[in-house]
Amino acid sequence: MAKRVVVNRYRCAYCGACVAVCKFNANELVETFLVIDEEKCNGCGICVKVCPMNALEVVS
Amino acid sequence: MNYDVVVIGAGPGGSLAAKTCAERGLSVLLVEKRQEIGAPVRCAEGIGKKDLQKFVEVDKKFIAAEVVGAKIYAPDGTEITLTEEMAGNEVGYVLERKIFDRHLARLAAKAGADVIVKTTAIGMERTKDSVKVKLRRMGEEFEVGCKIVIGADGVESRVGKWAGIDTTLKLNEIESCVQYLMTGIDFDPEYCHFWFGSNIAPGGYVWLFPKGNNSANVGIGVMPSLAKRSPKEYLDEFVERNYSNGKIVEVVAGAVPVKGEIETAVADNVMLVGDAARHADPITGGGIANAMKAGYYAGIVAAEAIQKGDCSAKTLRRYDELWKNDFGKDLARKRKLQQKLIKMDDETLNKIMHTLANCKLEEISVKAMIKELIKRHPKLLWDLKDLFL
């Protein structure tokens, strides 16, 4: 199965860090709600490394 | 619906841009995606006094605390004290951003700008010398026409990408940050405090900014390319070691672009300001002052371009000139210094701090301080000499 990133909403503090590093524009902060576009995300995990809250995880 | 200018993002940069446009007779729409301007805060809230006074009449209601300088702690605990001027003018006031940002948006509205909140910009389409901005407000999509879009949409900026400016940050061009508002802790409220060290905050630092009444913003920024864990884990360790009796009454997270000067913040019909244009200081992470300056310049250039009837990138390039002449070179220089600093191990940092601790710092300028450092540590800092001497 292809890799993708999922968000733990209980941890996410909707700061936008993950949006700033995603060159595929897969992550989007809608008001205070993080949306990850599964079509665009290839699971590279760069956003996992930048997340201040450990709220993101690569799964397959 | 048509406006001369649509400003995306109602932080200090966006509000200043909207205010400046409105004051020059343009019709302006200021768009904020959140339902509340200024919240949640993503900032340590420090700003130099002169920088703030340049743009607003200072009102006690948005000043949480005043400080006289900065105290910096080396990895081995060596302490040096900098006056406000020497700390790069990043300290002086600690703001209450929730109040400050709303105040600025109100100033923009008072000058004549329209303001809408809980509205996200979801796209942008250029036609012949005009732009259609697609907005979504509480689930309803609509379009607004304009001649110029000012992207003040923060670290997560989309406007630049829509216009073809690649603003994606690499893991060594961003600081990942967490901050607690803590209460019931002991510290010297006359100063902002900064802790450095590879075990404390790799590629960044821990800060404590007083907010009055024994409370303070205690936060951390780390560079993800160097950090072994998340900033939250580093901060929790720091708090446990130093302020274990304090109470955390607010948690915020954020990210600061520390890429330094970008080539251009301009495209046809588009200008970027503040964090969207990566205007934050790569060393201090401070961004409010530069964002306000950039917003002001973008407003001026928007008025000129619209009067001229030419909003092409070529005309808007004037905005690049203005912000680059003001603080662009400084961003580039600080980025180089940062690249140098993040390579230093704790022992080297300690050595440098010992040198500084032995200088009579009140008597010399930052330039003199760096000159002294290069003299005493030539091997370490030699390649910086052209930048600072």
Side-chain angles (χ1 to χ4, degrees):
Chain A
M1 249 274 305
K3 283 180 177 175
R4 63 191 175 93
V5 171
V6 292
V7 55
N8 180 336
R9 300 216 174 276
Y10 300 108
R11 286 188 182 213
C12 175
Y14 31 87
C15 71
C18 56
V19 182
V21 298
C22 181
K23 64 178 169 188
F24 307 106
N25 301 328
N27 300 3
E28 191 166 3
L29 188 61
V30 182
E31 295 179 33
T32 54
F33 190 83
L34 179 67
V35 178
I36 302 169
D37 185 334
E38 281 185 32
E39 300 277 297
K40 292 180 182 167
C41 177
N42 72 355
C44 76
I46 193 167
C47 57
V48 176
K49 294 193 182 105
V50 84
C51 178
M53 304 298 284
N54 271 343
L56 298 171
E57 193 187 350
V58 179
V59 297
S60 48
Chain B
M1 238 191 320
N2 279 294
Y3 289 88
D4 290 323
V5 178
V6 173
V7 181
I8 314 289
S15 287
L16 246 289
K19 174 175 176 278
T20 309
C21 288
E23 282 168 351
R24 276 156 185 73
L26 304 183
S27 60
V28 195
L29 175 65
L30 177 60
V31 181
E32 169 57 46
K33 73 176 165 188
R34 293 174 170 174
Q35 58 189 21
E36 289 178 64
I37 289 170
V41 172
R42 303 197 291 205
C43 178
E45 305 181 290
I47 186 169
K49 288 187 180 172
K50 275 186 204 147
D51 279 330
L52 185 65
Q53 286 156 1
K54 222 176 274 174
F55 291 105
V56 282
E57 215 171 294
V58 176
D59 189 328
K60 270 189 188 150
K61 74 182 182 203
F62 55 70
I63 305 292
E66 277 184 56
V67 297
V68 298
K71 284 188 185 290
I72 299 176
Y73 307 93
D76 68 0
T78 306
E79 175 186 323
I80 62 170
T81 304
L82 301 180
T83 61
E84 187 196 338
E85 200 179 73
M86 302 209 44
N89 284 320
E90 290 295 342
V91 295
Y93 289 127
V94 181
L95 295 168
E96 194 62 72
R97 285 282 303 267
K98 282 171 202 150
I99 299 169
F100 180 66
D101 285 26
R102 281 167 213 197
H103 176 74
L104 292 186
R106 268 201 292 269
L107 292 181
K110 216 170 142 190
D114 283 346
V115 183
I116 40 171
V117 296
K118 206 165 169 66
T119 304
T120 306
I122 52 172
M124 199 172 88
E125 201 183 302
R126 272 192 65 235
T127 53
K128 199 169 166 279
D129 209 38
S130 70
V131 188
K132 275 197 182 109
V133 182
K134 289 177 192 159
L135 300 173
R136 185 175 51 215
R137 186 180 194 212
M138 300 182 214
E140 214 171 289
E141 291 183 14
F142 61 104
E143 282 183 353
V144 174
C146 65
K147 293 170 188 144
I148 291 178
V149 174
I150 296 179
D153 49 339
V155 70
E156 74 267 40
S157 178
R158 276 283 186 262
V159 174
K161 290 186 172 183
W162 292 333
I165 307 168
D166 180 17
T167 52
T168 304
L169 296 170
K170 299 191 177 76
L171 290 179
N172 64 356
E173 295 173 339
I174 192 167
E175 294 281 331
S176 175
C177 308
V178 178
Q179 176 175 275
Y180 298 145
L181 174 58
M182 295 193 68
T183 187
I185 55 176
D186 276 328
F187 57 89
D188 183 344
E190 296 277 293
Y191 292 90
C192 287
H193 306 261
F194 301 87
W195 288 265
F196 289 85
S198 59
N199 295 320
I200 296 169
Y205 60 81
V206 167
W207 66 81
L208 183 151
F209 285 14
K211 287 203 75 179
N213 301 323
N214 280 76
S215 67
N217 285 334
V218 183
I220 188 171
V222 303
M223 192 173 271
S225 59
L226 299 171
K228 295 184 182 75
R229 290 167 288 151
S230 71
K232 184 180 176 297
E233 288 162 89
Y234 285 102
L235 182 62
D236 285 340
E237 250 177 44
F238 179 87
V239 166
E240 181 57 38
R241 242 187 348 259
N242 299 283
Y243 301 108
S244 56
N245 292 328
K247 304 275 185 277
I248 296 167
V249 293
E250 194 176 295
V251 180
V252 293
V256 181
V258 291
K259 186 190 174 81
E261 183 188 35
I262 61 171
E263 206 180 293
T264 179
V266 160
D268 288 328
N269 310 85
V270 172
M271 291 182 271
L272 302 179
V273 310
D275 279 2
R278 309 334 190 187
H279 282 161
D281 184 307
I283 293 286
T284 65
I288 307 168
N290 286 353
M292 288 200 289
K293 287 176 192 169
Y296 174 70
Y297 293 141
I300 288 176
V301 173
E304 284 171 5
I306 284 167
Q307 189 174 16
K308 207 172 137 192
D310 175 6
C311 302
S312 67
K314 204 176 155 217
T315 303
L316 300 183
R317 206 72 76 194
R318 171 87 185 118
Y319 164 64
D320 271 343
E321 267 172 47
L322 288 170
W323 73 261
K324 283 183 181 228
N325 281 338
D326 188 323
F327 58 80
K329 284 186 191 76
D330 189 54
L331 292 182
R333 216 167 44 176
K334 296 271 185 61
R335 173 69 179 170
K336 286 202 173 124
L337 181 59
Q338 174 217 47
Q339 295 296 81
K340 194 87 198 167
L341 283 173
I342 59 171
K343 283 193 200 110
M344 288 181 185
D345 56 19
D346 284 359
E347 205 184 317
T348 313
L349 267 181
N350 286 334
K351 233 195 285 180
I352 283 181
M353 298 283 256
H354 294 165
T355 307
L356 286 176
N358 292 329
C359 292
K360 281 183 185 157
L361 283 177
E362 286 84 355
E363 292 165 24
I364 55 173
S365 65
V366 172
K367 207 171 156 181
M369 179 173 100
I370 291 169
K371 210 167 162 180
E372 181 71 19
L373 277 176
I374 294 172
K375 210 168 85 193
R376 300 218 197 168
H377 303 281
K379 269 190 204 147
L380 274 175
L381 300 163
W382 190 247
D383 38 337
L384 290 177
K385 71 181 193 315
D386 296 332
L387 288 171
F388 289 94
L389 303 187

